[in-house]
Amino acid sequence: MSTENEGNPVPPAPSAPPVPVDTPAASADTAQGAAPEAPAGADGTPAYPDSPPARVDETATQAAHSADAPDPASPADPGSPAAPQGEWPPPAPPAVPAYANEGGDGSGPGGWGSSYQPPEPKPGGRRGGLVAAVAVAALLAGGIGGGVGYWAAERNDDTSNSTTVSAADTPDAPKRDAGTVAGVAQAALPSVVTLEAQGGNGEGSTGTGFIYDTQGHILTNNHVVASAADGGKLSATFSNGKKYQAEVIGKAQGYDVAVIKLKNAPSDIKPLQLGNSDKVAVGDTTIAIGAPFGLSNTVTTGIISAKDRPVASSDGGNSKASYMSALQTDAAINPGNSGGPLLDARGAVIGINSAIQPASSGGGMGGSGQSGSIGLGFAIPVNQAKTVAQQLIKTGQPVYPVIGASVSLDEQSDGATITQEGAGGSKSVTPNGPADKAGLKPGDVITKLDNTVVDSGPTLIGQIWTHKPGDTVKITYERDGKEHTIDVVLGERKGDS
């Protein structure tokens, strides 16, 4: 896989983040108590948390209806004695609720990849099902409440013995403390938008974005808005329900970052404060905001569970891979969260939620439909996203740092191997490029970049892309069983090829 040209199949992301040279990574075969990492689907690739539906294995759903768990929808066995009234303990509930397998169409995000695909709108409104359910619940609650209230009034008019205490002067919208999750959410939600993108071919996606500056620029993922980049439609809806049309200013497929801009942006928009992702520590509190499964303004919490996680993600289709040295979080991230902010405890943005590791079976909500978060979410560090956003706003195209060599994308444990041949039969080491000038050759195995251990091609690419063109990096490689260390001045590539 060339650092300049993507397009080859994307391998599984390595199971461990890069580690400093003086801290060798523990072997997965010898680590005690280490939980195996969930496979990423058909190709093992962590993918965008909003991908097009794909077929999934129904084994998990079928297994739920085992002989040990009677089907709640089936009639009772006429030969079985009825349970006596008042029996204790009561009979065990069925293992799978009757509704567990309803509503799924067998489709789901094969790799939790691109954007959540909302269902086709029905006549009379998009949210008829939800509204109807709420309305029925309200009517039932109203009827029951009225009956109980009348009964209580008839039975006892004397409330002097009541033990309930009512709060006095309770404000309609209480102010939440800034240091709490509620306070952070209350302050951040007005600056987060739900994005709806539709391409000229009718394909669409739903994701999230957040206000980047007072000029109306919004930061999000490339895979959320890519379908609307060429003649498509794009809209942004704020938490107060106001909707604005938008346009794509620039996108970087390799970084999976995009900048869009509101048309006729309101004058009172407030950008989110950007934090410093380099200062984030494992265990720090995280708060994610997005529109999982189209449910706008959803807030979830967790921690930073790992840093510098090498991730190669795609939507499982024909799109090229994106690479990142990601922040890993266990805050729930699902289809529709893509492009949304990952905040720290102060409410500052530390990352852009971009990909999740899917469950192996994919049998999730509603039986065999889309599976939910398993606690492995990945965010683009905001320091990198900010640099890319500045490039896109200024020139409309991304700039990538490169070493000028193609490397294998096979998952390995011994480094990134420079291939014998580049994409399309070209030379794997660009003549007079950075790698060529430093003396690298086909077959060399790169094992370290500065103080970071490199265990595969995707790890090397992700680490290189944390730098800028012109930066000098120290590369350690092996040739004929001997280790060598050289300095390489990174070159650049403009635009997505």
Side-chain angles (χ1 to χ4, degrees):
M1 173 62 190
S2 170
T3 55
E4 290 92 345
N5 300 292
E6 293 108 21
N8 294 336
V10 183
S15 60
V19 295
V21 174
D22 57 357
T23 309
S27 169
D29 297 330
T30 59
Q32 296 294 325
E37 183 166 328
D43 62 356
T45 306
Y48 312 140
D50 322 278
S51 67
R55 297 187 57 152
V56 293
D57 190 354
E58 297 180 0
T59 305
T61 303
Q62 297 168 353
H65 292 281
S66 65
D68 296 331
D71 188 346
S74 61
D77 185 352
S80 301
Q85 294 185 356
E87 178 182 351
W88 188 264
V96 181
Y99 56 79
N101 291 323
E102 297 175 0
D105 61 357
S107 64
W112 286 106
S114 70
S115 299
Y116 164 63
Q117 302 295 325
E120 289 294 330
K122 297 180 180 180
R126 296 177 56 192
R127 302 189 180 182
L130 286 175
V131 173
V134 173
V136 170
L139 288 173
L140 288 174
I144 295 173
V148 172
Y150 176 77
W151 176 84
E154 284 291 307
R155 298 286 298 178
N156 185 8
D157 292 332
D158 184 4
T159 58
S160 59
N161 294 326
S162 174
T163 58
T164 61
V165 179
S166 298
D169 300 327
T170 302
D172 293 335
K175 183 70 175 179
R176 307 300 182 187
D177 292 339
T180 64
V181 173
V184 170
Q186 194 173 64
L189 277 168
S191 299
V192 179
V193 296
T194 299
L195 301 176
E196 295 182 19
Q198 186 173 11
N201 57 1
E203 292 184 359
S205 58
T206 299
T208 308
F210 61 92
I211 303 300
Y212 177 71
D213 59 24
T214 56
Q215 283 71 49
H217 290 109
I218 292 174
L219 204 53
T220 185
N221 282 143
N222 169 71
H223 74 265
V224 171
V225 301
S227 62
D230 299 317
K233 297 179 180 180
L234 182 63
S235 66
T237 304
F238 284 81
S239 60
N240 61 7
K242 293 184 178 181
K243 189 173 185 178
Y244 297 85
Q245 298 303 307
E247 60 183 341
V248 178
I249 298 300
K251 57 190 182 71
Q253 177 273 321
Y255 294 121
D256 196 21
V257 172
V259 175
I260 68 174
K261 188 175 183 180
L262 297 175
K263 297 179 180 179
N264 302 317
S267 59
D268 58 348
I269 57 175
K270 183 179 179 181
L272 287 181
Q273 177 185 358
L274 303 184
N276 185 348
S277 52
D278 291 340
K279 300 296 183 181
V280 171
V282 172
D284 282 352
T285 296
T286 58
I287 302 169
I289 303 180
F293 298 100
L295 301 175
S296 302
N297 311 317
T298 295
V299 178
T300 56
T301 63
I303 62 168
I304 292 292
S305 51
K307 292 181 60 177
D308 301 319
R309 180 72 71 185
V311 173
S313 59
S314 73
D315 62 9
N318 296 322
S319 66
K320 299 175 183 177
S322 299
Y323 300 92
M324 66 182 109
S325 183
L327 297 175
Q328 180 179 304
T329 181
D330 65 348
I333 297 173
N334 289 290
N337 275 106
S338 280
L342 185 68
L343 310 174
D344 62 15
R346 303 171 302 154
V349 181
I350 54 175
I352 300 177
N353 300 317
S354 301
I356 64 174
Q357 184 80 18
S360 57
S361 66
M365 301 180 186
S368 60
Q370 295 178 329
S371 59
S373 169
I374 61 171
L376 290 173
F378 306 102
I380 302 168
V382 74
N383 288 9
Q384 181 181 26
K386 179 181 178 181
T387 299
V388 177
Q390 291 172 341
Q391 295 168 346
L392 295 177
I393 293 173
K394 183 177 181 180
T395 66
Q397 63 178 345
V399 177
Y400 298 92
V402 297
I403 63 171
S406 297
V407 295
S408 172
L409 293 181
D410 294 336
E411 185 177 9
Q412 301 179 20
S413 59
D414 56 356
T417 302
I418 298 179
T419 58
Q420 295 297 324
E421 189 176 81
S426 62
K427 292 185 177 181
S428 60
V429 178
T430 304
N432 205 34
D436 187 33
K437 291 179 179 179
L440 290 171
K441 298 180 179 180
D444 290 345
V445 180
I446 298 173
T447 57
K448 299 171 188 173
L449 181 72
D450 292 330
N451 292 325
T452 300
V453 173
V454 173
D455 59 4
S456 67
T459 300
L460 176 64
I461 296 172
Q463 285 297 309
I464 289 174
W465 285 0
T466 63
H467 293 272
K468 297 178 181 179
D471 286 353
T472 298
V473 296
K474 192 175 296 294
I475 287 181
T476 300
Y477 68 96
E478 293 180 358
R479 180 189 297 169
D480 299 328
K482 296 182 180 180
E483 187 175 87
H484 308 271
T485 300
I486 56 174
D487 288 334
V488 176
V489 179
L490 299 176
E492 72 173 24
R493 186 197 79 203
K494 293 183 179 181
D496 288 312
S497 61

